[in-house]
């Protein structure tokens, strides 16, 4: 689980996100946002 969390934080850093806490809350409202961040959809 820690590896998945660290991978998500790393992806956010690569996208230029500075506020990790707010960025973690943002996808919780829409389940397609994490996929879009990774370029899957």
């Amino acid at each position: 689980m820690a590896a998945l969390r660290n991978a998500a934080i790393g992806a956010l850093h690569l996208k230029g996100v500075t506020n990790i806490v707010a960025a973690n809350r943002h996808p919780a409202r829409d389940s397609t946002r994490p996929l879009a961040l990774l370029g899957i959809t």
Side-chain angles (χ1 to χ4, degrees):
M1 293 304 284
L4 292 175
R5 179 173 168 77
N6 288 337
I9 290 172
L12 291 171
H13 276 292
L14 288 175
K15 292 292 182 176
V17 174
T18 56
N19 189 342
I20 300 298
V21 174
N24 281 336
R25 286 186 196 132
H26 193 67
R29 292 182 223 130
D30 183 4
S31 62
T32 62
R33 287 183 181 149
L35 299 175
L37 175 69
L38 297 172
I40 295 174
T41 59

